[in-house]
Amino acid sequence: MADLLVTGGAGFIGSNFVHHVVEHTDLGVTVLDKLTYAASRESIDELPSDRVELVEGDITDATLVDKLFSDHGSVVHFAAESHNDNSLHDPSPFIQTNIVGTFTLLEAARKHDVRLHHVSTDEVYGDLDLDDPKRFTEDTPYQPSSPYSASKAGSDHLVRAWVRSFGVRATISNCSNNYGPWQHIEKFIPRMITNLIDGVPPKVYGDGLNVRDWIHADDHSSAVLRILEQGRIGETYLIGADGERNNLQVVKALLAAFGRNEDDIEFVTDRPGHDRRYAIESGKLRSELGWSPRFQDFEAGLADTVAWYRSHEDWWRPHKQATEAFYAAKGQ
Ligand code: NAD
Ligand code: DAU
């Protein structure tokens, strides 16, 4: 019996978390992943087979989930449809995986008294104005903007209800924007890096002043492990690394890394309902659980990420044409 079940462990952050667990603990890990377009088996392939096992399956499959929960004491739940632009195109899989899938896990956690950590996003809080001094805290009211963030908000509410009504031993974390290796090239930073590798200008939505609060995926993983091990049941913890940058700042840093003119940017059609600013106040996690981020220098982390995409072209190249065709059809 493996100790830990990780849903979505072949995705961007889930696979980083599995590496983190193998490196920093003695736990055995079972990954449950549907291997959607966003997954990559390669991200966990090289981990030792006596520590990590991959089960290909869907979190909405109640029979499979019940069997896996009967064999595991703890579950970390990353599996999700994760991309806002896709949710604007077709919300249906977001409702199915993010809401019905989380419900399916909660029912199994309730039946088998399994400890569950639910991984969520800061987008459940909506957005902040650029000149607002406030940041999101655990007490910020929910106000999601997109089908993706609404589906994650729904899943968070289900988790809290299962804790309160059925005594499920769960915690929740809401994290800001992650960057690092193995992120699908549909997302902002990898899309811009792979454009620049191809000599294509970065494509920035709207005026480019939207702010995201960047954190390295490995810091997200260390925070999730800390909450799993030491978090108080029923509590929510916000995860962030004080990495606020607007999209133009990120793109200019990337242009500089490629030795390109900092104005070589193509402004494209804005995302409908585009959230203006996210910002995380992570004081509770830091003071209560003693967590702090390891990657404090965003520009250095970005340079490492550029180097990673340069050296992993075999991995992302097969997806580039279809990804760009999806955006081109929307004028992006
Ligand atoms: P991702 O899209 O890279 O990976 C998602 C993984 O879930 C994939 O491996 C996919 O195959 C799997 N999956 C999807 N549907 C499934 C299903 N029905 N059954 C089983 N597996 C399924 O996503 P990510 O960026 O790694 O995000 C992981 C989690 O972290 C999500 O819950 C997301 O909401 C949350 N999150 C992401 C960020 C971010 O910046 N990317 C920030 C905060 C929170
Ligand atoms: O805040 C956490 C969230 O961060 C996670 O919950 C989501 O799973 C994750 O995808 C991410 O959501 P965003 O919508 O913020 O990330 P994305 O990479 O899609 O876009 C980041 C910013 O860049 C956003 O302001 C939109 C902009 N953008 C994006 C793309 C793909 C562009 O300007 N051009 C682009 O081509």
Side-chain angles (χ1 to χ4, degrees):
M1 166 177 166
D3 312 283
L4 185 60
L5 178 67
V6 177
T7 74
F12 163 45
I13 308 169
S15 64
N16 184 293
F17 179 75
V18 175
H19 278 264
H20 191 88
V21 168
V22 168
E23 196 176 325
H24 296 280
T25 76
D26 297 326
L27 298 173
V29 178
T30 305
V31 169
L32 169 59
D33 200 295
K34 189 178 174 181
L35 299 180
T36 69
Y37 80 97
S40 65
R41 215 184 254 274
E42 304 96 297
S43 62
I44 50 171
D45 250 1
E46 283 168 16
L47 290 168
S49 56
D50 60 339
R51 295 286 304 281
V52 178
E53 179 199 9
L54 171 64
V55 175
E56 184 175 348
D58 194 319
I59 58 166
T60 64
D61 178 345
T63 308
L64 173 64
V65 166
D66 186 80
K67 159 122 194 28
L68 289 169
F69 273 55
S70 71
D71 280 347
H72 293 81
S74 304
V75 177
V76 179
H77 174 34
F78 287 95
E81 288 292 334
S82 68
H83 193 35
N84 275 300
D85 291 320
N86 292 344
S87 83
L88 294 161
H89 179 69
D90 178 12
S92 158
F94 290 75
I95 305 306
Q96 204 50 33
T97 289
N98 301 358
I99 298 186
V100 178
T102 303
F103 159 73
T104 308
L105 302 186
L106 284 166
E107 283 293 81
R110 172 187 176 193
K111 180 172 166 191
H112 297 287
D113 188 25
V114 163
R115 164 84 173 93
L116 176 72
H117 179 70
H118 173 65
V119 177
S120 191
T121 169
D122 60 357
E123 295 194 15
V124 298
Y125 301 117
D127 62 353
L128 299 160
D129 290 334
L130 295 183
D131 58 0
D132 189 338
K134 283 205 294 290
R135 298 192 283 171
F136 298 138
T137 73
E138 287 79 4
D139 297 323
T140 303
Y142 274 43
Q143 201 169 8
S145 311
S146 73
Y148 162 67
S149 50
S151 70
K152 293 296 291 188
S155 68
D156 293 7
H157 289 317
L158 292 178
V159 174
R160 285 202 189 87
W162 262 243
V163 170
R164 179 158 171 162
S165 300
F166 304 123
V168 166
R169 293 181 296 123
T171 42
I172 299 174
S173 55
N174 299 82
C175 187
S176 56
N177 285 62
N178 285 221
Y179 71 97
W182 301 112
Q183 185 169 31
H184 194 281
I185 55 165
E186 68 190 354
K187 303 292 193 327
F188 178 54
I189 288 179
R191 184 181 182 212
M192 300 307 119
I193 293 173
T194 53
N195 272 7
L196 284 164
I197 289 173
D198 283 348
V200 173
K203 314 253 184 175
V204 171
Y205 295 173
D207 61 10
L209 297 181
N210 305 66
V211 170
R212 297 296 183 262
D213 191 351
W214 294 99
I215 180 173
H216 195 280
D218 199 52
D219 284 328
H220 188 178
S221 293
S222 69
V224 166
L225 185 60
R226 184 68 59 90
I227 297 165
L228 180 72
E229 291 174 340
Q230 297 174 27
R232 284 184 291 136
I233 298 302
E235 292 292 315
T236 291
Y237 297 88
L238 262 54
I239 305 173
D242 300 331
E244 280 188 71
R245 301 277 186 295
N246 71 36
N247 294 339
L248 284 180
Q249 289 172 304
V250 174
V251 155
K252 285 181 179 180
L254 289 173
L255 284 162
F258 280 84
R260 298 269 293 255
N261 186 310
E262 70 160 28
D263 297 323
D264 192 5
I265 295 170
E266 190 181 333
F267 289 90
V268 295
T269 309
D270 205 356
R271 172 186 284 171
H274 195 177
D275 280 339
R276 200 58 168 157
R277 170 174 161 250
Y278 306 140
I280 289 270
E281 154 60 83
S282 57
K284 176 177 174 182
L285 173 66
R286 293 172 191 239
S287 62
E288 204 177 283
L289 304 185
W291 174 86
S292 60
R294 196 163 63 88
F295 291 82
Q296 307 268 12
D297 182 343
F298 175 69
E299 279 67 27
L302 206 54
D304 289 349
T305 307
V306 170
W308 190 89
Y309 279 89
R310 280 191 190 279
S311 64
H312 287 75
E313 187 164 341
D314 287 358
W315 174 70
W316 58 263
R317 175 62 67 194
H319 307 288
K320 187 66 178 164
Q321 204 183 354
T323 303
E324 290 308 317
F326 169 76
Y327 284 121
K330 301 186 290 138
Q332 295 176 324

